[in-house]
Amino acid sequence: MPLTVLLVDDEPLVRAGLRAVLEAQPDIQVAGEAADGAAVIPLVRQLRPDVIVMDVRMPLMDGIEATRTVLRTITDPPKIVVVTTFENDEYVYGALRAGADGFLLKRARPAEIVHAVRLVAEGDSLLFPAAVRQLASSYGRDHGKTAARTAMERAALTEREGEVLRLMAQGLSNAEIAARLVVGTETVKSHVSSVLAKLGARDRTQAVIAAYESGFVSPG
């Protein structure tokens, strides 16, 4: 089965470019398009895409609110990649905090676009960890460090789970973490699942943001 993608952007030329790039891949199919975040929910229900590639700035409903709406409304929601013009964008950080799995720059090369879609679909690695770290450094302090620290303390991660979270924040995949800790990949998957459950995080991106905002991991 091909990986299915929903494109959401108010610029038809951007959608056409993304479609051309993604459909050039034998394992990716563009299932549909929308011109605004407000149109996402009915399309997700109809098409059940694996990944949404969504502009972060749109006139009626932006990518932040659309992400929140998808995650609040849809059972077993798709992965979400938001698209932005500027890397260090507070809108992007807002979308990541709302539950987006990663982001892409509009100037990204075709290979980077394809890689991003495949990576978030697989879900075992963090997309652009250095950029997420920079965003957390720039904007994370504005989002309630005390509450984040309290949530991290309540999670009561074990020492090994803490090690795994720090390595996740570096962008390491499950296989790379396993090699670093000299354990099996299945053991790492179990630790990652436990970290996500304890933090109430949807995926690695949200867990890493929680780690930065709480001070458990330093953005610097």
PDB file of all heavy atoms in Angstrom, residues 159-184:
ATOM      1  N   GLU A 159      15.861   6.149  35.273  1.00  0.00           N
ATOM      2  CA  GLU A 159      17.159   6.632  34.777  1.00  0.00           C
ATOM      3  C   GLU A 159      17.350   6.261  33.304  1.00  0.00           C
ATOM      4  O   GLU A 159      17.795   7.082  32.500  1.00  0.00           O
ATOM      5  CB  GLU A 159      18.290   6.035  35.613  1.00  0.00           C
ATOM      6  CG  GLU A 159      19.672   6.538  35.219  1.00  0.00           C
ATOM      7  CD  GLU A 159      20.768   6.007  36.119  1.00  0.00           C
ATOM      8  OE1 GLU A 159      20.451   5.426  37.181  1.00  0.00           O
ATOM      9  OE2 GLU A 159      21.960   6.180  35.756  1.00  0.00           O
ATOM     10  N   ARG A 160      16.986   5.037  32.942  1.00  0.00           N
ATOM     11  CA  ARG A 160      17.157   4.615  31.555  1.00  0.00           C
ATOM     12  C   ARG A 160      16.195   5.366  30.633  1.00  0.00           C
ATOM     13  O   ARG A 160      16.557   5.742  29.523  1.00  0.00           O
ATOM     14  CB  ARG A 160      16.964   3.098  31.442  1.00  0.00           C
ATOM     15  CG  ARG A 160      17.086   2.509  30.008  1.00  0.00           C
ATOM     16  CD  ARG A 160      18.294   3.006  29.233  1.00  0.00           C
ATOM     17  NE  ARG A 160      19.571   2.724  29.792  1.00  0.00           N
ATOM     18  CZ  ARG A 160      20.324   1.660  29.550  1.00  0.00           C
ATOM     19  NH1 ARG A 160      19.874   0.724  28.731  1.00  0.00           N
ATOM     20  NH2 ARG A 160      21.514   1.543  30.097  1.00  0.00           N
ATOM     21  N   GLU A 161      14.962   5.598  31.083  1.00  0.00           N
ATOM     22  CA  GLU A 161      14.020   6.378  30.272  1.00  0.00           C
ATOM     23  C   GLU A 161      14.522   7.799  30.064  1.00  0.00           C
ATOM     24  O   GLU A 161      14.372   8.370  28.982  1.00  0.00           O
ATOM     25  CB  GLU A 161      12.638   6.392  30.947  1.00  0.00           C
ATOM     26  CG  GLU A 161      11.911   5.053  30.860  1.00  0.00           C
ATOM     27  CD  GLU A 161      10.710   4.971  31.784  1.00  0.00           C
ATOM     28  OE1 GLU A 161      10.537   5.885  32.629  1.00  0.00           O
ATOM     29  OE2 GLU A 161       9.951   3.988  31.679  1.00  0.00           O
ATOM     30  N   GLY A 162      15.150   8.365  31.087  1.00  0.00           N
ATOM     31  CA  GLY A 162      15.742   9.690  30.941  1.00  0.00           C
ATOM     32  C   GLY A 162      16.858   9.699  29.916  1.00  0.00           C
ATOM     33  O   GLY A 162      16.969  10.636  29.108  1.00  0.00           O
ATOM     34  N   GLU A 163      17.689   8.655  29.934  1.00  0.00           N
ATOM     35  CA  GLU A 163      18.750   8.535  28.932  1.00  0.00           C
ATOM     36  C   GLU A 163      18.159   8.491  27.521  1.00  0.00           C
ATOM     37  O   GLU A 163      18.647   9.147  26.597  1.00  0.00           O
ATOM     38  CB  GLU A 163      19.557   7.249  29.165  1.00  0.00           C
ATOM     39  CG  GLU A 163      20.517   7.273  30.319  1.00  0.00           C
ATOM     40  CD  GLU A 163      21.280   5.960  30.405  1.00  0.00           C
ATOM     41  OE1 GLU A 163      20.659   4.937  30.763  1.00  0.00           O
ATOM     42  OE2 GLU A 163      22.476   5.943  30.081  1.00  0.00           O
ATOM     43  N   VAL A 164      17.109   7.690  27.369  1.00  0.00           N
ATOM     44  CA  VAL A 164      16.469   7.540  26.061  1.00  0.00           C
ATOM     45  C   VAL A 164      15.888   8.874  25.598  1.00  0.00           C
ATOM     46  O   VAL A 164      16.046   9.260  24.434  1.00  0.00           O
ATOM     47  CB  VAL A 164      15.380   6.447  26.110  1.00  0.00           C
ATOM     48  CG1 VAL A 164      14.520   6.476  24.852  1.00  0.00           C
ATOM     49  CG2 VAL A 164      16.023   5.072  26.278  1.00  0.00           C
ATOM     50  N   LEU A 165      15.242   9.622  26.506  1.00  0.00           N
ATOM     51  CA  LEU A 165      14.662  10.913  26.132  1.00  0.00           C
ATOM     52  C   LEU A 165      15.750  11.888  25.695  1.00  0.00           C
ATOM     53  O   LEU A 165      15.576  12.629  24.714  1.00  0.00           O
ATOM     54  CB  LEU A 165      13.870  11.482  27.308  1.00  0.00           C
ATOM     55  CG  LEU A 165      13.220  12.856  27.086  1.00  0.00           C
ATOM     56  CD1 LEU A 165      12.315  12.850  25.850  1.00  0.00           C
ATOM     57  CD2 LEU A 165      12.415  13.267  28.321  1.00  0.00           C
ATOM     58  N   ARG A 166      16.871  11.909  26.388  1.00  0.00           N
ATOM     59  CA  ARG A 166      17.964  12.814  25.993  1.00  0.00           C
ATOM     60  C   ARG A 166      18.506  12.449  24.608  1.00  0.00           C
ATOM     61  O   ARG A 166      18.829  13.332  23.811  1.00  0.00           O
ATOM     62  CB  ARG A 166      19.077  12.774  27.033  1.00  0.00           C
ATOM     63  CG  ARG A 166      18.703  13.412  28.364  1.00  0.00           C
ATOM     64  CD  ARG A 166      19.869  13.486  29.332  1.00  0.00           C
ATOM     65  NE  ARG A 166      19.476  14.140  30.565  1.00  0.00           N
ATOM     66  CZ  ARG A 166      19.066  13.509  31.662  1.00  0.00           C
ATOM     67  NH1 ARG A 166      18.997  12.176  31.664  1.00  0.00           N
ATOM     68  NH2 ARG A 166      18.705  14.179  32.730  1.00  0.00           N
ATOM     69  N   LEU A 167      18.597  11.176  24.316  1.00  0.00           N
ATOM     70  CA  LEU A 167      19.063  10.746  23.000  1.00  0.00           C
ATOM     71  C   LEU A 167      18.017  11.027  21.925  1.00  0.00           C
ATOM     72  O   LEU A 167      18.358  11.366  20.790  1.00  0.00           O
ATOM     73  CB  LEU A 167      19.435   9.262  23.032  1.00  0.00           C
ATOM     74  CG  LEU A 167      20.647   8.927  23.917  1.00  0.00           C
ATOM     75  CD1 LEU A 167      20.825   7.418  24.029  1.00  0.00           C
ATOM     76  CD2 LEU A 167      21.914   9.572  23.386  1.00  0.00           C
ATOM     77  N   MET A 168      16.742  10.904  22.270  1.00  0.00           N
ATOM     78  CA  MET A 168      15.678  11.298  21.344  1.00  0.00           C
ATOM     79  C   MET A 168      15.820  12.777  20.984  1.00  0.00           C
ATOM     80  O   MET A 168      15.637  13.181  19.834  1.00  0.00           O
ATOM     81  CB  MET A 168      14.300  11.039  21.969  1.00  0.00           C
ATOM     82  CG  MET A 168      13.896   9.580  22.041  1.00  0.00           C
ATOM     83  SD  MET A 168      12.507   9.291  23.186  1.00  0.00           S
ATOM     84  CE  MET A 168      11.241  10.353  22.510  1.00  0.00           C
ATOM     85  N   ALA A 169      16.135  13.600  22.000  1.00  0.00           N
ATOM     86  CA  ALA A 169      16.277  15.040  21.771  1.00  0.00           C
ATOM     87  C   ALA A 169      17.441  15.360  20.840  1.00  0.00           C
ATOM     88  O   ALA A 169      17.449  16.400  20.179  1.00  0.00           O
ATOM     89  CB  ALA A 169      16.448  15.770  23.102  1.00  0.00           C
ATOM     90  N   GLN A 170      18.410  14.463  20.775  1.00  0.00           N
ATOM     91  CA  GLN A 170      19.531  14.639  19.844  1.00  0.00           C
ATOM     92  C   GLN A 170      19.155  14.230  18.420  1.00  0.00           C
ATOM     93  O   GLN A 170      19.926  14.421  17.494  1.00  0.00           O
ATOM     94  CB  GLN A 170      20.739  13.819  20.306  1.00  0.00           C
ATOM     95  CG  GLN A 170      21.358  14.292  21.604  1.00  0.00           C
ATOM     96  CD  GLN A 170      22.511  13.418  22.040  1.00  0.00           C
ATOM     97  OE1 GLN A 170      23.210  12.819  21.213  1.00  0.00           O
ATOM     98  NE2 GLN A 170      22.720  13.317  23.343  1.00  0.00           N
ATOM     99  N   GLY A 171      17.964  13.631  18.270  1.00  0.00           N
ATOM    100  CA  GLY A 171      17.498  13.222  16.953  1.00  0.00           C
ATOM    101  C   GLY A 171      17.837  11.797  16.583  1.00  0.00           C
ATOM    102  O   GLY A 171      17.657  11.394  15.431  1.00  0.00           O
ATOM    103  N   LEU A 172      18.332  11.005  17.550  1.00  0.00           N
ATOM    104  CA  LEU A 172      18.705   9.632  17.241  1.00  0.00           C
ATOM    105  C   LEU A 172      17.466   8.767  17.009  1.00  0.00           C
ATOM    106  O   LEU A 172      16.448   8.926  17.683  1.00  0.00           O
ATOM    107  CB  LEU A 172      19.546   9.031  18.368  1.00  0.00           C
ATOM    108  CG  LEU A 172      21.062   9.279  18.304  1.00  0.00           C
ATOM    109  CD1 LEU A 172      21.383  10.764  18.401  1.00  0.00           C
ATOM    110  CD2 LEU A 172      21.774   8.506  19.411  1.00  0.00           C
ATOM    111  N   SER A 173      17.566   7.860  16.058  1.00  0.00           N
ATOM    112  CA  SER A 173      16.498   6.898  15.797  1.00  0.00           C
ATOM    113  C   SER A 173      16.563   5.780  16.829  1.00  0.00           C
ATOM    114  O   SER A 173      17.525   5.669  17.609  1.00  0.00           O
ATOM    115  CB  SER A 173      16.662   6.302  14.398  1.00  0.00           C
ATOM    116  OG  SER A 173      17.831   5.497  14.349  1.00  0.00           O
ATOM    117  N   ASN A 174      15.542   4.920  16.825  1.00  0.00           N
ATOM    118  CA  ASN A 174      15.552   3.787  17.755  1.00  0.00           C
ATOM    119  C   ASN A 174      16.792   2.929  17.576  1.00  0.00           C
ATOM    120  O   ASN A 174      17.410   2.493  18.555  1.00  0.00           O
ATOM    121  CB  ASN A 174      14.297   2.939  17.556  1.00  0.00           C
ATOM    122  CG  ASN A 174      13.047   3.638  18.057  1.00  0.00           C
ATOM    123  OD1 ASN A 174      13.118   4.609  18.796  1.00  0.00           O
ATOM    124  ND2 ASN A 174      11.893   3.148  17.645  1.00  0.00           N
ATOM    125  N   ALA A 175      17.162   2.662  16.330  1.00  0.00           N
ATOM    126  CA  ALA A 175      18.334   1.827  16.072  1.00  0.00           C
ATOM    127  C   ALA A 175      19.611   2.498  16.575  1.00  0.00           C
ATOM    128  O   ALA A 175      20.500   1.837  17.136  1.00  0.00           O
ATOM    129  CB  ALA A 175      18.442   1.534  14.576  1.00  0.00           C
ATOM    130  N   GLU A 176      19.704   3.811  16.397  1.00  0.00           N
ATOM    131  CA  GLU A 176      20.897   4.535  16.856  1.00  0.00           C
ATOM    132  C   GLU A 176      20.961   4.584  18.380  1.00  0.00           C
ATOM    133  O   GLU A 176      22.047   4.467  18.970  1.00  0.00           O
ATOM    134  CB  GLU A 176      20.890   5.952  16.279  1.00  0.00           C
ATOM    135  CG  GLU A 176      21.135   5.983  14.774  1.00  0.00           C
ATOM    136  CD  GLU A 176      20.824   7.325  14.147  1.00  0.00           C
ATOM    137  OE1 GLU A 176      19.971   8.080  14.695  1.00  0.00           O
ATOM    138  OE2 GLU A 176      21.408   7.630  13.094  1.00  0.00           O
ATOM    139  N   ILE A 177      19.796   4.744  19.036  1.00  0.00           N
ATOM    140  CA  ILE A 177      19.766   4.717  20.497  1.00  0.00           C
ATOM    141  C   ILE A 177      20.172   3.342  21.002  1.00  0.00           C
ATOM    142  O   ILE A 177      20.938   3.215  21.972  1.00  0.00           O
ATOM    143  CB  ILE A 177      18.367   5.101  21.015  1.00  0.00           C
ATOM    144  CG1 ILE A 177      18.053   6.560  20.672  1.00  0.00           C
ATOM    145  CG2 ILE A 177      18.268   4.879  22.529  1.00  0.00           C
ATOM    146  CD1 ILE A 177      16.624   6.974  20.988  1.00  0.00           C
ATOM    147  N   ALA A 178      19.673   2.311  20.344  1.00  0.00           N
ATOM    148  CA  ALA A 178      20.022   0.940  20.742  1.00  0.00           C
ATOM    149  C   ALA A 178      21.527   0.717  20.660  1.00  0.00           C
ATOM    150  O   ALA A 178      22.136   0.120  21.560  1.00  0.00           O
ATOM    151  CB  ALA A 178      19.284  -0.064  19.856  1.00  0.00           C
ATOM    152  N   ALA A 179      22.148   1.203  19.583  1.00  0.00           N
ATOM    153  CA  ALA A 179      23.593   1.053  19.431  1.00  0.00           C
ATOM    154  C   ALA A 179      24.341   1.832  20.511  1.00  0.00           C
ATOM    155  O   ALA A 179      25.342   1.348  21.060  1.00  0.00           O
ATOM    156  CB  ALA A 179      24.024   1.525  18.041  1.00  0.00           C
ATOM    157  N   ARG A 180      23.860   3.043  20.811  1.00  0.00           N
ATOM    158  CA  ARG A 180      24.520   3.872  21.820  1.00  0.00           C
ATOM    159  C   ARG A 180      24.449   3.234  23.213  1.00  0.00           C
ATOM    160  O   ARG A 180      25.412   3.276  23.974  1.00  0.00           O
ATOM    161  CB  ARG A 180      23.875   5.266  21.838  1.00  0.00           C
ATOM    162  CG  ARG A 180      24.497   6.259  22.804  1.00  0.00           C
ATOM    163  CD  ARG A 180      25.822   6.802  22.312  1.00  0.00           C
ATOM    164  NE  ARG A 180      25.656   7.562  21.075  1.00  0.00           N
ATOM    165  CZ  ARG A 180      25.411   8.870  21.034  1.00  0.00           C
ATOM    166  NH1 ARG A 180      25.283   9.558  22.151  1.00  0.00           N
ATOM    167  NH2 ARG A 180      25.306   9.489  19.871  1.00  0.00           N
ATOM    168  N   LEU A 181      23.286   2.647  23.536  1.00  0.00           N
ATOM    169  CA  LEU A 181      23.084   2.080  24.867  1.00  0.00           C
ATOM    170  C   LEU A 181      23.436   0.593  24.944  1.00  0.00           C
ATOM    171  O   LEU A 181      23.357   0.000  26.024  1.00  0.00           O
ATOM    172  CB  LEU A 181      21.627   2.283  25.306  1.00  0.00           C
ATOM    173  CG  LEU A 181      21.159   3.744  25.420  1.00  0.00           C
ATOM    174  CD1 LEU A 181      19.701   3.795  25.851  1.00  0.00           C
ATOM    175  CD2 LEU A 181      22.031   4.513  26.408  1.00  0.00           C
ATOM    176  N   VAL A 182      23.786   0.018  23.798  1.00  0.00           N
ATOM    177  CA  VAL A 182      24.141  -1.412  23.700  1.00  0.00           C
ATOM    178  C   VAL A 182      22.990  -2.282  24.218  1.00  0.00           C
ATOM    179  O   VAL A 182      23.142  -3.119  25.110  1.00  0.00           O
ATOM    180  CB  VAL A 182      25.451  -1.734  24.449  1.00  0.00           C
ATOM    181  CG1 VAL A 182      25.996  -3.085  24.011  1.00  0.00           C
ATOM    182  CG2 VAL A 182      26.500  -0.654  24.227  1.00  0.00           C
ATOM    183  N   VAL A 183      21.809  -2.034  23.665  1.00  0.00           N
ATOM    184  CA  VAL A 183      20.627  -2.844  23.972  1.00  0.00           C
ATOM    185  C   VAL A 183      19.920  -3.144  22.656  1.00  0.00           C
ATOM    186  O   VAL A 183      20.290  -2.634  21.593  1.00  0.00           O
ATOM    187  CB  VAL A 183      19.654  -2.108  24.934  1.00  0.00           C
ATOM    188  CG1 VAL A 183      20.320  -1.845  26.277  1.00  0.00           C
ATOM    189  CG2 VAL A 183      19.173  -0.795  24.315  1.00  0.00           C
ATOM    190  N   GLY A 184      18.890  -3.976  22.702  1.00  0.00           N
ATOM    191  CA  GLY A 184      18.144  -4.307  21.494  1.00  0.00           C
ATOM    192  C   GLY A 184      17.184  -3.191  21.085  1.00  0.00           C
ATOM    193  O   GLY A 184      16.740  -2.397  21.909  1.00  0.00           O
TER     194      GLY A 184
END
